[in-house]
């Protein structure tokens, strides 16, 4: 397994639509394993392939909370086949938007259909944090970030701040300065 670099917004590669996998072969399984390791190292509770610069419809999740313990979940070609009329609001974060969080409204319950790590088709009924996380990760496959669900005012503020942080890091690197301690600070609640 290998830890991959996670792209951060704003980055045009995060806005692209990912392609379905033809089957869950050895390459896709390798990608799933690398993504899980990358997600754990971040740490995060979900990760989508476009975040590691691979435009395939693959996501991984592992939610370990008091009320939701999923263990590792590997999903290829995931799609929402059922969604509740009832909505839920969660404060979301994302490994591609480090240190930024915002309330996002989504259907409270969804059923996701996907191919698992063995290529077997599954339907999984999700609610609570798992429902939010699955929808957040599938959004990534369509080039949608959680900030695309909030006001443009707040979205632009977050993206400007992220751009500023990146430019400062690039300038420091160019001047040969060591990166600031805490610049890679952990983000405990990030969905991915
Ligand atoms: Ni994310």
């Amino acid at each position: 397994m290998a830890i991959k670099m996670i792209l951060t917004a704003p980055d045009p590669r995060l806005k692209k639509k990912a392609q379905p996998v033809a089957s869950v072969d050895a390459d896709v399984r390798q990608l799933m394993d690398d993504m899980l390791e990358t997600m754990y190292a971040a740490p995060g509770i979900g990760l989508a392939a476009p975040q590691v610069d691979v435009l395939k419809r693959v996501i991984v999740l592992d939610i370990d909370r008091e009320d939701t313990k999923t263990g590792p979940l590997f999903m290829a070609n995931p799609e929402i086949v059922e969604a509740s009329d009832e909505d839920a609001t969660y404060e979301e974060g994302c490994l591609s938007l480090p240190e930024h969080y915002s309330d996002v409204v989504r259907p409270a319950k969804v059923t996701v259909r996907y191919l698992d790590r063995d290529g077997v088709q599954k339907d999984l009924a999700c609610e609570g944090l798992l429902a939010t996380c699955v929808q957040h990760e599938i959004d990534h496959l369509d080039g949608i970030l959680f900030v695309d669900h909030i006001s443009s005012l707040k979205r632009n503020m977050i993206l400007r701040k992220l751009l500023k942080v990146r430019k400062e890091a690039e300038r420091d690197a160019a001047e040969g300065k060591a990166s600031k301690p805490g610049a890679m600070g952990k983000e405990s609640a990030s969905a991915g």
Side-chain angles (χ1 to χ4, degrees):
M1 295 206 286
I3 293 178
K4 295 181 174 279
M5 200 186 79
I6 298 175
L7 301 177
T8 54
D11 188 311
R13 290 171 288 181
L14 290 169
K15 304 303 293 172
K16 291 191 173 160
K17 202 172 163 72
Q19 296 304 308
V21 301
S23 67
V24 181
D25 58 14
D27 285 348
V28 171
R29 272 192 289 276
Q30 180 70 58
L31 172 65
M32 287 170 161
D33 292 345
D34 289 347
M35 284 170 59
L36 192 74
E37 191 180 9
T38 303
M39 184 192 83
Y40 285 147
I45 57 175
L47 189 69
Q51 293 181 274
V52 293
D53 202 16
V54 177
L55 281 176
K56 289 184 178 161
R57 299 188 79 82
V58 173
I59 64 175
V60 297
L61 307 124
D62 186 351
I63 297 173
D64 187 5
R65 298 289 156 90
E66 263 175 45
D67 55 343
T68 315
K69 287 191 196 296
T70 64
L73 289 170
F74 305 91
M75 300 184 184
N77 303 344
E79 54 174 329
I80 304 294
V81 292
E82 226 181 291
S84 63
D85 292 332
E86 178 203 346
D87 287 332
T89 304
Y90 266 93
E91 185 177 58
E92 296 189 23
C94 180
L95 295 172
S96 293
L97 296 113
E99 291 169 48
H100 291 280
Y101 303 91
S102 192
D103 279 349
V104 177
V105 182
R106 300 181 188 271
K109 295 178 184 178
V110 295
T111 300
V112 59
R113 179 167 296 162
Y114 62 97
L115 300 175
D116 72 7
R117 198 177 171 284
D118 298 315
V120 177
Q121 185 180 297
K122 297 254 172 84
D123 279 6
L124 180 68
C126 309
E127 56 179 49
L129 182 58
L130 179 58
T132 290
C133 198
V134 160
Q135 293 174 83
H136 175 119
E137 301 311 332
I138 291 176
D139 267 358
H140 274 298
L141 304 180
D142 294 316
I144 299 166
L145 304 175
F146 82 80
V147 289
D148 294 318
H149 291 282
I150 65 179
S151 75
S152 58
L153 189 74
K154 190 153 189 214
R155 173 170 63 249
N156 291 334
M157 189 189 73
I158 290 174
L159 293 174
R160 267 201 311 273
K161 283 183 181 168
L162 286 166
L163 198 57
K164 188 168 167 236
V165 167
R166 183 190 306 168
K167 283 189 171 158
E168 280 171 3
E170 282 170 358
R171 199 182 52 221
D172 287 354
E175 291 172 1
K177 282 187 210 161
S179 62
K180 274 184 275 182
M184 297 293 287
K186 86 179 214 178
E187 22 150 5
S188 55
S190 284

